[in-house]
């Protein structure tokens, strides 16, 4: 048991060797029990599938305010304080408050009834009809990016395709010109540093500057779409009608929702797409199989995300003494819902370590659960699917352009992906 905890701690220390393949550490942790106290991290790790569902479904006893973990909460609080100081020094306000000051908890970070109200106002922007309308635009953007690399037969998948595509998609949905996508992508990458590790003073200053720039930028965008007949997601959210007894989204809420949409629309989809291409580069027969049968791609993506999750855990805080799987979780305890471990629970999945997209579908933990199930799940999966379809239609014989040992994983306990992925390929005529 000591060896198991030592291996898990190595993942928490962000040792590259463990980040490359944390599965053995997570499997060992789950074998220790569906709910395990991690003394070194002072958290209860929920590693069982059913137990994870129980916690995610229970917004009464488990708060989402600390959803990204204590490190992210500390980093964010300090970053927002510094950003507000920059706004006051510059005399910039959003509505009546200094930009950087009015940043309430929203959506994934909020608890009912605040979360319930926000979700009701944002949900229509993620309708099935809107996702279908977006698909042709996603394919157009994907082809535009591939046009730039197919002739040379090599690219950094993360920088030149997956991240670039996802940032362009979310940029257009947030009422921004595609030419601003690199700026939004840079902001998203800076903000995501807060998740899963402590930041240096210089990194916090960089985040604060990015936050101030982001708020100024989207403060203007919100004003541009308010009351206007625009078709993008930002316009739909800003102009969503509310019942007479409901409060519309505040400017502070809108700014934070813009950030969540930016992060969720780029990091999860971008990491998954990059991770899948890495897998296919090592399994060319699987790439050929999907190329021959594109109809299997949605099932493949669902299974791949179970097998190799891009966001490995969610955090909750116990607001009441609550028992889960016979373990008492006292009020105030931090709970780590370990989706990556729970999604390989052998009580639910036969041969969970195998990637088998013919297996019967199960309720997925990839996009969370309960009242906080990700609103953008359908759109995110559509982005990944189209990105993969277009790549496989135009490239074959995909292989790594560097040795596997040269690849580096994102230094985060939460995010699971590659910092870069150079590949070479042969263009399909």
């Amino acid at each position: 048991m000591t060896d198991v905890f030592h291996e898990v701690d190595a993942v928490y220390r962000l040792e590259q060797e463990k980040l490359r393949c944390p599965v053995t550490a997570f499997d060992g942790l789950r074998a220790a029990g569906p709910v395990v106290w991690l003394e070194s991290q002072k958290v209860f790790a929920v590693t069982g599938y059913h137990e994870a569902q129980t916690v995610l479904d229970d917004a009464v006893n488990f708060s989402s305010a600390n959803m990204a973990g204590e490190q992210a909460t500390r980093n964010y609080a300090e970053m927002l304080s510094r950003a507000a100081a920059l706004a006051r020094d510059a005399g910039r306000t959003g509505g009546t408050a200094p930009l950087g000051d009015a940043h309430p908890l929203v959506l994934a970070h909020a608890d009912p009834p605040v979360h319930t109200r926000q979700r009701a106002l944002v949900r229509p922007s993620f309708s099935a009809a809107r996702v279908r309308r977006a698909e042709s635009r996603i394919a157009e953007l994907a082809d535009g990016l591939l046009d730039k690399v197919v002739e040379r037969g090599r690219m950094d998948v993360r920088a030149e395709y997956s991240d670039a595509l996802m940032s362009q998609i979310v940029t257009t949905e947030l009422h921004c010109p595609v030419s601003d996508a690199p700026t939004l992508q840079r902001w998203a990458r800076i903000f995501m540093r807060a998740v899963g590790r402590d930041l240096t003073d210089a990194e916090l200053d960089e985040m604060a500057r990015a936050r101030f720039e982001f708020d100024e930028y989207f403060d203007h965008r919100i004003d541009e779409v308010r009351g206007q007949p625009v078709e993008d997601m930002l316009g739909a959210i800003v102009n969503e009608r509310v019942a007479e007894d409901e409060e519309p989204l505040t400017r502070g809420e809108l700014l934070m929702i813009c950030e969540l949409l930016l992060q969720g629309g780029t990091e999860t989809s971008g990491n998954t797409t990059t991770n899948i291409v890495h897998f296919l580069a090592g399994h060319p027969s699987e790439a050929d199989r999907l190329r021959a049968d594109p109809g299997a791609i949605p099932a493949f993506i669902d299974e791949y995300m179970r097998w190799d999750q891009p966001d490995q855990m969610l955090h909750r805080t116990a607001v009441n003494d609550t028992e889960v799987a016979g373990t008492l979780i006292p009020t105030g305890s931090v709970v780590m819902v370990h989706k990556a471990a729970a999604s390989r629970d052998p009580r639910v999945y036969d041969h969970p370590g195998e990637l088998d997209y013919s297996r019967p579908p199960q309720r997925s933990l990839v996009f969370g659960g309960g009242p906080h199930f990700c609103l953008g799940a359908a759109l995110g999966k559509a982005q990944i699917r189209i990105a993969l379809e277009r790549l496989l239609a135009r490239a074959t014989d995909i292989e790594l352009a560097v040795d596997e040992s040269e690849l580096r994983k994102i230094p985060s306990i939460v995010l699971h992906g590659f910092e870069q992925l150079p590949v070479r390929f042969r263009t399909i005529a």
Side-chain angles (χ1 to χ4, degrees), residues 49-50 53 298-299 301-307 309 342-352 356-368 373 381:
Y49 175 90
H50 298 298
Q53 282 189 338
I301 291 171
D302 285 342
E303 170 68 355
Y304 186 91
M305 293 182 80
R306 175 202 71 81
W307 183 74
Q309 300 213 7
S343 292
R344 291 184 174 224
D345 190 335
R347 298 176 300 170
V348 176
Y349 299 99
D350 292 333
H351 309 292
D356 176 10
Y357 48 103
S358 67
R359 70 171 76 243
Q362 295 277 357
R363 173 181 162 186
S364 174
L365 298 174
V366 171
F367 294 98
F373 182 82
K381 289 199 286 187

Side-chain angles (χ1 to χ4, degrees), residues 370-424:
H372 287 88
F373 182 82
C374 178
L375 281 168
L379 178 59
K381 289 199 286 187
Q383 292 171 345
I384 299 163
R385 171 177 57 79
I386 295 169
L388 189 55
E389 287 173 348
R390 300 313 304 146
L391 178 62
L392 290 176
R394 302 186 65 179
T396 188
D397 299 333
I398 301 169
E399 62 181 12
L400 293 182
V402 297
D403 189 80
E404 182 80 34
S405 63
E406 296 181 46
L407 300 177
R408 288 189 59 80
K409 287 298 187 79
I410 298 169
S412 171
I413 184 63
V414 176
L415 304 175
H416 180 60
F418 294 93
E419 292 189 327
Q420 62 280 130
L421 187 68
V423 301
R424 50 181 171 256

